[in-house]
Each structure stands twice: as structure tokens, then as C-alpha cells.
Amino acid sequence: MTSFAPDSIVLNRKLPLWYQVSQSLRASILGRSPRDPLRLPTEEQLAGHYGVSVLTMRQALKELEDEGLITRHRRRGTFIEPDARRGAPVRLLGSVDAIVAQQSGMKAELLGHGTVQVPPEVAEYFPGATEVGTYHRLRCDETTGEPTNHARNYVRPELAARIDVDDLARWPMTKVLRDVVGMDISRITDTVEARLADPETARLLEVPLLSPILHYTGVTYDTAGRVLDVAVIHYRGDRFSFTVTLDAT
């Protein structure tokens, strides 16, 4: 039986290795194609793929098993749960792969894309620019079809020209910029605040007008400190939780 092939990752030695591996594998699982095999490689093969010990790999797999994304069977192997849904909130420890994992695993519908004048609300992130590429997507739960959030991404025009919209139907923008366009991402800043649903958001998310939503702004920077992407996302308040864990190191 052919095994599922997870994405590669460059490990950051400042963060727990098991955590980084679990988030990378989680993102690969949630972003997989329906045609991909459900069986995972062995612990030894996965450990070699990620360049970690078998003990570290075992700890990473336990995290995914506890979440219900995989099941492990003695002698048979480890398998992806085909109907697994997002469980516990992602713990963000500063890893880009954690952001990718949090954004993955939802069906995305592209509502529109193109080039627009820099909107006033994101102008501070694109000094000197007159235009940005924009992508508007609605994400839904793959099992129920229920809308969970709608996102607008604003991307530097030279990067937008290198983005294939088909990739955005499967992967989050962070993954496309890093793994497809080839950008070196140094950090992402997240801001989450409570707001009331405006008419467009209420219609797209199928919630009452002025009901509570979560307004998220994520700003992605490259290693030179340039802003690559600004994501503005509106989440249904009853379908999303945001957890940040700060480890004392």
C-alpha cells in the first residue's frame, strides 16, 4: 500500500521539535488531496523524513492521535482519519507551520481576485505602493458545508503575479507564499478582536446582522522586514477559538 507523503519542514531549534513536526504533519494531513493515501509512513520513516528521533516522532504522532486526526493500529500501521474534523484549538508557539495548520483543513471557495488600489485599512503595511493583489475566499466546514470564515488577502503585486489561484483552493496563503512562491517568511503578527457582523459578513457567514464575530488581522513579513501579505479574516464567533500558549524559555 502506498503511504501518504507529508511536506518537508526546516526545523527551528528554538522551539520543541515534536511540536513543529506535529504541526507540519497536521497541515499536510488537513491540506491533503482526497486522492492521497490514508496510510502514513512508519515512525522510523517519518523520523528520517523530518530529521528527528523516533521518540520525538512518537510524541508528535500522539498529539495528532489525541486530536483525532490519525489512528494507530498495532502491526497494521498509522492511518489518517478520512472524516476527521478540526478538534482542539491550535497552540501557537511561534511556528509558521502552526499558522499553516490553523488555516488548513477547510473547503475554500474563491469569491474574487484581482488588483486594486491599496485600501486605507492596510495602507500602513504597503508604504509607497499604489496597488496590491487581492483574494477573497469563503471557507466552509468540509463535512457540514457550514461557512466558518471569509478572508481577504492583500499581497504585494509582484508576488500576486506568481500565485496560481488553484493553489489557494487547497492551501492557505501562508503555505502558497512559502512553499510555492518560495518566499522566506520570518514572522507573522496576529491581532484578534471582537466585532459585530456587517451586512456582507452576516450574509456570507449565515449569521444574524450585528451578531458577534472575531476579526483577525495577520501580517506576514519576509526576512528583510517587508510585508508580503495582510490577511483580514472574519470568523463566526461560534465556530472558532483562538489559543496562544507562551512558553517560558
Side-chain angles (χ1 to χ4, degrees), residues 4-12 16-32 40 46 49-50 52 57 60-61 63-64 67 69 90-91 95-102 104 171 175 178-179:
F4 176 75
D7 295 339
S8 297
I9 178 178
V10 177
L11 295 173
N12 181 345
L17 297 181
W18 68 265
Y19 168 79
Q20 295 178 73
V21 170
S22 71
Q23 293 307 304
S24 176
L25 186 53
R26 185 181 191 274
S28 294
I29 289 172
L30 292 176
R32 75 189 187 282
L40 289 178
L46 285 170
H49 173 78
Y50 287 109
V52 298
M57 193 67 238
L61 290 172
E63 178 86 354
L64 300 181
E67 190 177 340
L69 287 179
V90 177
R91 292 176 289 174
S95 165
V96 171
D97 283 283
I99 300 293
V100 171
Q102 187 272 315
S104 300
W171 295 318
K175 181 175 177 64
R178 186 189 65 178
D179 298 343

Side-chain angles (χ1 to χ4, degrees), residues 6 30 36 59 70 126 201 225:
L30 292 176
D36 289 339
Q59 189 175 4
I70 62 174
F126 300 100
T201 298

Side-chain angles (χ1 to χ4, degrees), residues 15 63 84 98 121 130 173 184 199 228 233:
L15 297 174
E63 178 86 354
E121 61 267 29
T130 57
M173 180 65 78
D184 291 326
L228 304 176
I233 309 176

